[in-house]
Amino acid sequence: MENSGVPVLRPDPATPIDPALPESALKGLGSRAFGVYVHVPFCATRCGYCDFNTYTAGELDTGSSPQSWLEGLRRELELAARVLVVPPAADTVFVGGGTPSLLGADGLRSVLDAVRDVFGLAPGAEVTTESNPESTSPEFFAGIREAGYTRVSLGMQSAAPHVLKILDRVHTPGRPGRAVAEARAAGFDHVNLDVIYGTPGERPDDLLATLDAVLAAGVDHVSAYALIVEEGTALARRVRRGELPAPDDDVLAADYEMIDAALSAAGLRWYEVSNWAASDAARCRHNLGYWRGADWWGAGPGAHSHVGGVRWWNVKHPARYTALLADGHSPAGGREVLTDDDQHLERIMLELRVAEGLPLDVLDEPGLAEARAAAAEGLLDPSALDSRGRAVLTDRGRLLADGVVRRLAG
């Protein structure tokens, strides 16, 4: 979940796309933070709410396997080195999915070795993998820690069995906490738990029990996301048939306030609208790169990349992805060069979400007027506006962040 928020995928192209980047995109490469995202498309089961680019074993043909995917990944990383000309060392690596832990410690070691061989890792690089608690063990955590991973993100979603059932999650409620303890014992200082709130049938006491379990686990980072009913998912079909109610905006707002209050009281402070950390060191540097307009190469089926104002996305299906690379082609399914207006809008949309806020000099005169009005309405912090020259969301502003973005962007 931590790696959510990428642009919507387009249909695959009929002919391969030229991977070359314009000189303007490569200018300054390496002077900005650079990350590598690796998408693992495999899952043991499909969760009813999930619309990520993932596949269970029964949904793939015999030509799509973790081994063929890894071969394709190596080829894409080699392509990246040619496209970037002088590939910078990776400041961050994030292995997401899907369920990366299904690869096992040895598989994840191979993934990181492939990234290290092509890009190298900058001193102090952050290396994260997502994991499902049910496919981890003390041996797994010890193996990936020894391989060079520095951070683990575990999917918890809820501590309430009936909520997990609605979400089609297969782990037992107590397993995430035990997985956190195992990761800590293996030497991981930074461990995240993902939480989903607003599931139909979730009561306030259920959410409080989840928060109690999160805090008892002793993690230094929490990501909490409101449930979104995505078209094409099993959950959307159940809502459409009237079997489940759609999430209620007022309930979601109350849930968010409950989460923020509990985490803040425990010493975890928000640094992005959906993320809380116990310290600056506990923040997810990879995701901060997304929110601050850094460069990253996204490798794997359906992965997105951004370098110097050019964005592209890979074809979705693992078989198509590996076939293109095996034939010497780029796996890109589409690309776009962001205009100045595009980049201006995205900067407002993303930087306003972080606790440091948005520099006012990014805004035009109408945007500045809207910022002052939003501060008067309690949506932006007036002191940050006046003393630091930054638009910083208040607690109430976080609940209405999308609306504030639209106002400042004009």
Side-chain angles (χ1 to χ4, degrees), residues 73-371:
L73 174 69
R74 291 193 180 105
R75 290 189 177 105
E76 185 180 0
L77 294 175
E78 291 166 358
L79 171 69
R82 296 193 297 272
V83 170
L84 298 179
V85 184
V86 182
D91 298 296
T92 63
V93 179
F94 196 108
V95 184
T99 310
S101 49
L102 288 178
L103 300 177
D106 288 344
L108 286 171
R109 177 191 295 273
S110 295
V111 169
L112 185 54
D113 284 347
V115 174
R116 189 186 281 115
D117 289 345
V118 171
F119 292 102
L121 300 180
E126 174 194 87
V127 184
T128 303
T129 183
E130 293 183 330
S131 298
N132 185 313
E134 294 294 336
S135 53
T136 62
S137 65
E139 295 76 20
F140 168 82
F141 289 117
I144 62 171
R145 185 70 190 93
E146 196 275 333
Y149 287 81
T150 66
R151 189 173 179 278
V152 174
S153 180
L154 295 160
M156 177 180 184
Q157 317 322 345
S158 176
H162 69 279
V163 174
L164 292 174
K165 184 176 181 180
I166 290 171
L167 295 173
D168 294 322
R169 296 289 294 185
V170 297
H171 65 259
T172 53
R175 177 57 197 157
R178 293 194 297 273
V180 171
E182 292 166 2
R184 291 290 200 194
F188 282 96
D189 294 327
H190 303 306
V191 183
N192 170 70
L193 280 174
D194 276 346
V195 171
I196 289 178
Y197 61 94
T199 301
E202 182 181 58
R203 303 173 299 247
D205 285 350
D206 297 325
L207 182 55
L208 284 173
T210 297
L211 293 169
D212 286 345
V214 167
L215 296 175
V219 294
D220 66 346
H221 190 288
V222 177
S223 300
Y225 302 100
L227 179 68
I228 298 175
V229 179
E230 301 284 3
E231 282 301 319
T233 62
L235 179 63
R237 291 190 289 274
R238 296 184 69 186
V239 170
R240 189 165 53 249
R241 290 194 298 263
E243 297 174 16
L244 294 171
D248 181 273
D249 287 342
D250 291 336
V251 171
L252 293 175
D255 285 350
Y256 183 88
E257 291 175 328
M258 185 188 304
I259 292 166
D260 185 55
L263 297 181
S264 296
L268 284 87
R269 305 297 179 188
W270 80 280
Y271 71 98
E272 190 274 341
V273 169
S274 298
N275 291 273
W276 291 257
S279 65
D280 286 351
R283 296 179 173 193
C284 180
R285 287 161 46 198
H286 186 84
N287 284 349
L288 280 169
Y290 295 152
W291 298 319
R292 291 172 174 168
D295 295 326
W296 73 90
W297 190 288
H304 287 68
S305 302
H306 170 265
V307 173
V310 179
R311 181 163 55 212
W312 66 96
W313 47 93
N314 286 347
V315 297
K316 295 176 67 174
H317 199 280
R320 173 70 170 153
Y321 168 80
T322 56
L324 282 167
L325 286 158
D327 289 341
H329 299 303
S330 166
R335 68 188 295 176
E336 59 186 346
V337 178
L338 302 177
T339 66
D340 289 344
D341 287 345
D342 292 334
Q343 295 185 66
H344 180 255
L345 173 60
E346 290 200 357
R347 185 172 182 189
I348 295 173
M349 179 175 64
L350 296 172
E351 288 191 35
L352 192 64
R353 294 181 62 87
V354 299
E356 290 77 15
L358 176 76
L360 293 182
D361 59 15
V362 173
L363 302 176
D364 56 19
E365 282 302 321
L368 287 170
E370 287 291 349

